[in-house]
Amino acid sequence: MNIQGKMALVTGGASGLGAACVRMIHEAGGRALSVDLAEGADIRADVSDAAAMEEAFRRLDGPLHIAINCAGIGSSARVIAKEGPAPLDWFERIIRVNLIGTFNVSRLAAARMASNIPDDGERGVIVNTASIAAFDGQIGQSAYSASKGGIVGMTLPLARDLARHAIRVMTIAPGIFDTPLLGKLPEEVRASLAAAVPHPARLGQPPEFARLARHIIENPMLNGEVIRLDGGLRMAPK
């Protein structure tokens, strides 16, 4: 799909991977609307809130052709800690934001795209964000890995479901990227993480994620698949 003149909705668009995708859409001649809970977003909304996102979609001006889901949260906890078993609400919250939030936006975006006039045979593209933690989850990442694994698992079913509407669905599973979340870590920890990447031995940069998202949008044969973007990294248990 040609991005020129198209409208895109980007969740998590106020920072990190999402902000890079917003810039990419603008640079490619499209229009991007960012949805985030953080300041700087065009629309402040929780992606896991059905009513809030339905209202966000009602605010869209014109047809929607592209949706990029980058909103997500993460924290770690062992199943059994000194205080006892991990809190269930911790697990539920991560699943709700990362997995349910992704499906919530995808369903609303697809419904909006389905009424588009086909452009070179397709009506829309949805790009979701998983993580290499979906495949190489570390100790403490049971909730995060489960949420991202769910996104991986629903990629092909969504693509098959939406094929009759000429809407493609793809997922990117990034490795360790230099986002605000990693920015909170001490420099020695960041350096250690970067050194673990086989090649290039550094943190990924958000524009590199956005570059892949652009290729997905523009390449009509990419559908129903998950692409790891990790420099060959395979995470250790901890």
Side-chain angles (χ1 to χ4, degrees):
M1 175 173 287
N2 187 350
I3 299 174
Q4 179 77 36
K6 302 296 193 306
M7 167 66 81
L9 182 140
V10 182
T11 70
S15 65
L17 304 180
C21 288
V22 169
R23 289 192 294 272
M24 175 274 291
I25 294 293
H26 288 155
E27 290 167 1
R31 299 167 56 205
L33 191 71
S34 64
V35 178
D36 207 313
L37 283 175
E39 291 186 8
D42 296 307
I43 297 177
R44 302 279 292 276
D46 179 349
V47 294
S48 67
D49 186 322
M53 287 310 303
E54 287 165 7
E55 175 59 28
F57 274 84
R58 280 193 289 270
R59 291 176 58 182
L60 289 177
D61 179 19
L64 176 71
H65 289 88
I66 300 161
I68 305 176
N69 279 303
C70 293
I73 59 173
S75 62
S76 62
R78 288 181 176 263
V79 178
I80 304 173
K82 293 179 181 178
E83 301 78 15
L88 186 59
D89 59 358
W90 161 77
F91 192 94
E92 289 177 331
R93 180 168 179 267
I94 292 176
I95 294 292
R96 179 155 194 85
V97 173
N98 294 357
L99 178 56
I100 296 177
T102 296
F103 179 77
N104 187 30
V105 175
S106 295
R107 72 182 181 96
L108 295 170
R112 186 70 174 255
M113 293 170 179
S115 62
N116 290 343
I117 298 171
D119 178 11
D120 198 20
E122 58 184 343
R123 291 188 171 91
V125 183
I126 298 171
V127 181
N128 293 328
T129 304
S131 166
I132 61 168
F135 310 101
D136 311 327
Q138 295 185 297
I139 291 171
Q141 288 189 321
S142 54
Y144 186 72
S145 293
S147 70
K148 296 301 186 175
I151 294 171
V152 168
M154 72 180 180
T155 301
L156 182 57
L158 284 176
R160 287 173 163 173
D161 192 328
L162 297 174
R164 65 192 181 101
H165 299 288
I167 297 170
R168 292 188 289 118
V169 181
M170 285 287 293
T171 294
I172 300 173
I176 303 173
F177 272 67
D178 193 7
T179 62
L181 184 63
L182 283 187
K184 300 175 183 177
L185 297 177
E187 186 54 40
E188 61 270 20
V189 175
R190 287 165 50 85
S192 176
L193 290 171
V197 181
H199 181 72
R202 60 170 173 79
L203 301 178
Q205 297 301 314
E208 294 169 325
F209 178 94
R211 196 181 308 163
L212 178 55
R214 177 170 182 171
H215 182 75
I216 289 170
I217 294 165
E218 294 179 338
N219 189 330
M221 282 301 289
L222 286 173
N223 191 24
E225 188 55 271
V226 179
I227 301 176
R228 290 181 65 132
L229 186 66
D230 57 23
L233 176 64
R234 298 298 181 267
M235 299 295 286
K238 60 180 179 180

